[in-house]
């Protein structure tokens, strides 16, 4: 029988969820409350629960039924770190699944490293997480935010675009994701023979989007690449697109 401690925070005693010869217990911390509860907390919970159902329908892992222990981190990095300490030291789970955000994983990573425990992560795509010599943190998808531009350059390198891309302009927010996307753009542009002919940082609001896009248009790029942080409240993506079109660029360039 599956044991899931979802919204029941702090239930049970140390070792209640300990593995047995016929059961393998996996632990995770997710935001059942707080900032991420109604977005990533829901997505992650549903994904993990679907996987749990499917894997047990296929006779589990290593011929063991899989149980999932979930604790609420309240969308707080310190609480997430506390939860993973509990999962490792008290519940003694055999595998850890990752929380929902790079900031939470950053808080958890030192703990899993110090205890030599594997953490399989479905998000936390921050490039910086993987530049610190960590051995037990694994991202289970195709790349981090540094790699976001990669598919675009590979797509055009195969001649799949409407026209060859030889010159690119780059605008980006000066935050974590924007900076990583900018680094990746420079890297993949260089490796695919594309020249970055213009580059500008999108500063804190208010932003002169009109002036920025006029400068971009004057560089005559084949494509404009925009790297943004999704937490910005001023929606720079929409303004960038609108002002780019007003400056005479085409949709195919954006």
């Amino acid at each position: 029988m599956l044991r899931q401690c979802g919204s029941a925070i702090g239930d049970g005693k140390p070792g209640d969820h300990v593995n047995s010869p016929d059961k393998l217990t996996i632990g995770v911390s997710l935001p059942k409350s707080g900032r991420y509860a109604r977005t990533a907390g829901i997505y992650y919970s549903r994904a993990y629960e679907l996987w749990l159902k499917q894997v047990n329908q296929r006779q589990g892992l290593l011929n063991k039924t899989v149980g999932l222990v979930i604790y609420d981190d309240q969308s707080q990095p310190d609480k997430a770190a506390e939860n993973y300490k509990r999962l490792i030291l008290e519940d003694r789970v055999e595998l850890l699944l990752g929380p929902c955000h790079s900031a939470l994983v950053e808080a958890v990573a030192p703990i899993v490293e110090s205890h030599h425990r594997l953490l399989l992560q479905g998000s936390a795509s921050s490039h910086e997480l993987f530049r610190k010599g960590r051995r037990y943190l694994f991202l289970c998808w195709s790349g981090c935010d540094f790699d976001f531009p990669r598919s675009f350059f590979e797509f055009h390198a195969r001649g799949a675009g409407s026209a060859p891309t030889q010159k690119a302009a780059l605008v980006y927010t000066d935050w974590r994701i924007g900076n990583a996307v900018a680094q990746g753009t420079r890297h993949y542009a260089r490796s695919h023979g594309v020249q970055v002919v213009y580059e500008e940082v999108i500063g804190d609001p208010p932003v002169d989007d009109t002036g920025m896009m006029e400068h971009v248009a004057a560089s005559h790029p084949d494509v404009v690449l925009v790297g943004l942080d999704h937490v910005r409240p001023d929606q720079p993506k929409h303004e960038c697109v609108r002002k780019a079109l007003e400056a005479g660029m085409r949709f195919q360039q954006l």
Side-chain angles (χ1 to χ4, degrees), residues 6 11 14 16 20 29 43 47-48 58-59 61-62 64 68 72 74 111 123-124 137 156 165 185 195 197 200 213 240:
D11 59 339
D16 272 1
S20 65
S29 174
Y43 310 149
Y48 286 153
R58 298 194 298 267
Q59 298 182 331
L61 295 176
L62 303 176
K64 294 183 179 183
L68 187 61
D72 181 15
Q74 303 166 21
I111 295 166
S123 180
L137 180 61
H156 280 268
T165 298
T185 297
Q195 180 185 6
V197 294
E200 184 169 341
M213 285 304 167
C240 283

Side-chain angles (χ1 to χ4, degrees), residues 15-204:
D16 272 1
H17 313 303
V18 69
N19 301 285
S20 65
D22 59 353
K23 177 182 175 183
L24 186 151
T25 305
I26 296 175
V28 62
S29 174
L30 291 177
K32 299 291 185 178
S33 59
R35 176 181 179 182
Y36 307 121
R38 295 187 178 182
T39 53
I42 294 174
Y43 310 149
Y44 272 66
S45 293
R46 290 177 177 173
Y48 286 153
E49 289 163 6
L50 176 62
W51 172 81
L52 186 71
K53 177 181 178 181
Q54 292 177 340
V55 77
N56 280 311
Q57 287 175 342
R58 298 194 298 267
Q59 298 182 331
L61 295 176
L62 303 176
N63 295 318
K64 294 183 179 183
T65 298
V66 180
L68 187 61
V69 181
I70 304 177
Y71 294 129
D72 181 15
D73 54 41
Q74 303 166 21
S75 306
Q76 298 296 325
D78 290 346
K79 184 63 177 177
E82 178 184 319
N83 287 345
Y84 281 91
K85 285 182 181 178
R86 178 180 179 183
L87 290 165
I88 293 169
L89 299 176
E90 298 183 11
D91 295 308
R92 302 194 292 278
V93 299
E94 291 191 344
L95 179 64
L96 299 166
L97 299 180
C100 79
H101 195 279
S102 293
L104 302 180
V105 175
E106 184 62 64
V108 168
I111 295 166
V112 300
E113 293 291 323
S114 64
H115 290 281
H116 300 173
R117 302 303 301 274
L118 183 67
L119 181 72
L120 297 181
Q121 181 56 41
S123 180
S125 59
S126 172
H127 183 48
E128 293 303 314
L129 283 171
F130 303 95
R131 293 168 58 87
K132 299 180 179 180
R134 289 164 174 159
R135 300 177 58 195
Y136 295 90
L137 180 61
F138 287 83
L139 180 62
C140 300
W141 64 333
S142 58
C144 57
D145 42 20
F146 176 91
D147 298 302
F148 289 172
R150 177 178 179 176
S151 59
F152 169 83
F153 285 105
E154 291 180 345
F155 176 78
H156 280 268
R158 294 196 301 268
S162 56
T165 298
Q166 298 176 326
K167 298 186 298 181
L170 168 65
V171 296
Y172 61 96
T173 51
D174 192 21
W175 292 7
R176 178 182 60 80
I177 298 175
N179 273 309
V181 171
Q183 291 180 48
T185 297
R186 298 183 198 107
H187 171 80
Y188 288 111
R190 185 167 55 251
S191 65
H192 287 84
V194 177
Q195 180 185 6
V196 178
V197 294
Y198 184 81
E199 185 173 325
E200 184 169 341
V201 173
I202 302 172
D204 294 333

Side-chain angles (χ1 to χ4, degrees), residues 173 202 209 213 226-229 232 234-244 254:
T173 51
I202 302 172
D209 297 290
M213 285 304 167
V226 183
L228 302 175
D229 288 78
R232 279 187 61 136
D234 58 325
Q235 297 184 319
K237 177 179 69 173
H238 304 293
E239 284 301 301
C240 283
V241 171
R242 187 163 68 89
K243 295 302 181 181
L254 297 169

